[in-house]
Amino acid sequence: MALSATPDSFNATFNWVTVSWSGVDAPSLQDWLGLYEVDDDVTKTSPIKFQYAHVSKNYLITGAGSLEVQIVNVRADHMFVFFRNGTEFPVVAARSNAIATQAPNQPQQLRVALTAEPGSLLITWTTRDTGAPQVEYQLPPRQDVVVQAATTFSYNRSMMCGAPATTDGYRNPGQFHSALIRNLAPGQAVTYRVGDRTLQVYSQQYSVSAAPAPASAVDIVAFGDLGQWQLDNTQQQAAMAASYNTTTAILADMAKTQTVHHIGDISYARGYMSQWEQFHAQIQDIAARAPYMVGIGNHERDWPNSGSLFQGTDSGGECGVAYESRFPMPTEKDKPWYAYTYGPLYFIVMSTEHSFGPTSDQYQFFVKALAAVNRTATPWVIFSGHRPFYIDSTNFAPGDGDQTVATEMRDSFEALLYANKVDLIFGAHHHSYQRTCPVYKGACQQPGPDGYAGPVIVDLGMAGADNSQNVEKPQPAIFEFVNDNTHGFCRIHADATTFSLQFLEGAERK
């Protein structure tokens, strides 16, 4: 048989390729094609993506066909492999020509983060090789260019905890580079590009702004459980079609996206490195233009005997290594909890995947972070973690069930949050949008003499992963709104005296 791919090279982030085949004897429903890096051992490595040959019209009649496939630039040459005999016991029938990358060191996967240092931004990107990586930036209206060298880091198979991250899901993640832009005024805009002085490759220019002053009005986006999707409808280890609607809707209105707050279940790679590549490509035009702040979820961290609170295998063996490498937050190693301010907002980000009991390091962090709140500067305090604090869910399973974990969190620190007058508690994990009244100890509260009633719970795990659809009937009294049928994200507008939160459906953008 014959198998070929055209064009035979690419240089963009997203690239369309036609794969064609002919001369297949006795074509079968079990025939399929996989996309691989040319150096992959296809007997030991999962495909980047795959599709059954019969998806091509008339294949079962003619033994010939073609597909349009989208390739993300992952700094390596690619090829297609045609298999027979299904996916359980596949037999290689043909390999295509190589599809060569012409830009293995073109900076990819740009993402910006706030840091613990006021007036600073951390710019991170990915390449194949390392020469002299740097960020070049300007502070409009000034025209002079400032150059800041980057530090380089990565991770490898041996640093992770188990399969598939250490076996068939592993691919070289590339070299990560981070450069710190310092001494910015509140809200100051920066025009920048990243690249390498030795390799002579640079990104396009982007603009991003430092965190605004406390009195400023801000517009941010918040969600959890996003995942990724490719437009060619091929099959992958994980694919969340709704995630594309969400990121497309955010991109369509970046003027209202000063920063992003993504609380857990980031890419759903779960040990398959190629899924991280697609995710970064999907969010790059957001994350390069607005600080992209993340919290860890079960699908980034959980692995038996690795230090996670829960002993499941939800991370696919990554055990937090890929997450912490790809998204440097202002945290210590494997202590992924932190606080940051953004205008009038004060965020506390917890890890629901690590111990949070009163004797834990994380609990002591809560105490210190809450004590540090300056209500004059940041009148709105938002506490967030991946798993929900209150949730309309029928999952009462022991161990890591929705209600079981929620009860454990409330037993540990609900009184602490209430005493410190936390305004909102964000959760995700349950793939729905839910909002409560001001609640404490399971009941709606009325405002006291100082106007405080209790935290409003917002569960926003509806960005991309399939809806959970296991809500209770009747709906618990504390919930004012529950939607487990659609996907989207939340927009927040806040200033010194007002706070508003709106759920927008990704497909409808309203």
Side-chain angles (χ1 to χ4, degrees), residues 254-269:
M254 282 298 291
K256 293 182 179 178
T257 308
Q258 292 173 264
T259 189
V260 174
H261 190 75
H262 182 171
I263 52 170
D265 286 6
I266 308 298
S267 70
Y268 285 88

Side-chain angles (χ1 to χ4, degrees), residues 233-395:
N233 294 313
T234 52
Q235 300 192 49
Q236 305 165 67
Q237 305 302 330
M240 286 79 177
S243 72
Y244 183 78
N245 292 333
T246 295
T247 54
T248 300
I250 294 170
L251 276 168
D253 201 1
M254 282 298 291
K256 293 182 179 178
T257 308
Q258 292 173 264
T259 189
V260 174
H261 190 75
H262 182 171
I263 52 170
D265 286 6
I266 308 298
S267 70
Y268 285 88
R270 293 177 286 199
Y272 293 95
M273 299 300 108
S274 58
Q275 302 293 95
W276 277 113
E277 304 283 353
Q278 167 63 24
F279 176 80
H280 280 294
Q282 184 168 324
I283 69 162
Q284 174 174 275
D285 284 344
I286 299 170
R289 298 159 61 191
Y292 200 100
M293 306 303 289
V294 296
I296 202 165
N298 55 303
H299 287 302
E300 287 76 56
R301 183 59 187 86
D302 291 2
W303 192 258
N305 305 311
S306 69
S308 60
L309 179 60
F310 305 104
Q311 299 303 299
T313 59
D314 292 356
S315 76
E318 292 182 7
C319 55
V321 173
Y323 165 88
E324 290 195 322
S325 299
R326 292 174 177 277
F327 287 98
M329 294 290 112
T331 63
E332 299 178 35
K333 182 176 175 58
D334 202 30
K335 292 185 177 182
W337 45 85
Y338 63 101
Y340 70 97
T341 61
Y342 199 82
L345 307 177
Y346 185 89
F347 284 95
I348 298 174
V349 182
M350 76 167 293
S351 169
T352 57
E353 310 313 302
H354 291 77
S355 178
F356 47 70
T359 62
S360 67
D361 289 348
Q362 185 168 201
Y363 184 93
Q364 297 309 310
F365 163 77
F366 299 160
V367 173
K368 293 178 181 178
L370 289 165
V373 175
N374 178 346
R375 288 285 184 165
T376 301
T378 53
W380 307 106
V381 178
I382 301 172
F383 186 94
S384 67
H386 176 61
R387 296 178 190 258
F389 200 72
Y390 281 95
I391 188 69
D392 181 355
S393 167
T394 59
N395 184 357

Side-chain angles (χ1 to χ4, degrees), residues 10 36-39 71-79 99-104 128:
F10 61 90
Y36 291 86
E37 295 180 11
V38 293
D39 291 334
I71 296 179
V72 170
N73 183 358
V74 296
R75 309 164 302 281
D77 298 346
H78 289 65
M79 65 177 176
I99 312 154
T101 174
Q102 296 179 337
R128 186 187 68 185

